[in-house]
Amino acid sequence: MTFGITPPLTASPPSSATSAARLGRMLEPSEWAAAGIPVLSNAREVVTGLHDRHLPGPSTAVVAVLDPGERVTASASFVLRTDAPDGWEFRNALLAQLRRVTPHDLRLRAPVRTAVLLYCRDGEPLWTEADGAWMWGLRDACTLHGLRCGPYITLTRDGWQVFGEGPGGRRPYIGSRPEQPRLSGPARGRHDGGVTTGAPRRTGGGAVEARRRTAAR
């Protein structure tokens, strides 16, 4: 696995000219459901794995890349601070994280890997404008990185919910403990595609964690 730390991201404040435009950069639940997003065969396993790996708090986004067997090959967590949700800002943040942790698949005729997004927030698990902006951003980032757009998942203090396909559960939730022991030991970094192990590090104010692991052979 590999991981890195960068400062918290901050979105630019919207102007009056862009406020109306940003409303067009979000997807309604009906639009998301009609987009043909692939269904995860074991959503809870994916959600639990990402939660245990990143232990995300409120306002944290976790983007992950799955291979055809739904194994996580790369993931990154980050906090994006913004007063007004904008799919364009979210798209750029997601794309930046994907470029850090995994190569693109733009040379392939059809995507073989899938990106999923787990967003942690307070409040009810009902759709919000922020959810719509994250959906728009995820779909666009996947297109620009040569990936299939996968499910959008929210994690609240009440549990987790996959939008569009229905599955959800009470665990994990924001603040819950990992179900599996986390890795420990000194950090070792390598950027040549090899396997790297190490304990995740955190900094105040929303640290970015990015990890990559090779698929099980």
Side-chain angles (χ1 to χ4, degrees), residues 63-117:
V63 61
V65 178
L66 311 182
D67 68 11
E70 293 191 1
R71 293 181 292 265
V72 177
T73 62
S75 64
S77 62
F78 62 97
V79 174
L80 177 59
R81 297 168 179 164
T82 178
D83 294 329
D86 190 328
W88 185 80
E89 298 278 2
F90 293 168
R91 185 277 307 277
N92 290 345
L94 290 169
L95 190 58
Q97 297 304 316
L98 288 171
R99 287 170 174 168
R100 290 181 62 237
V101 299
T102 190
H104 66 74
D105 284 345
L106 295 172
R107 294 183 180 88
L108 300 180
R109 292 186 176 180
V112 296
R113 297 186 298 162
T114 302
V116 302
L117 177 60

Side-chain angles (χ1 to χ4, degrees), residues 6 8 13 25 30 32-33 37 58 68 72 83-84 94 96 110 114 149 157 172 174 192 206 213-214:
T6 61
R25 295 190 288 263
S30 58
W32 184 254
I37 305 300
V72 177
D83 294 329
L94 290 169
T114 302
C149 181
R157 300 189 189 279
I174 292 179
D192 59 358
R213 68 178 183 182
T214 56

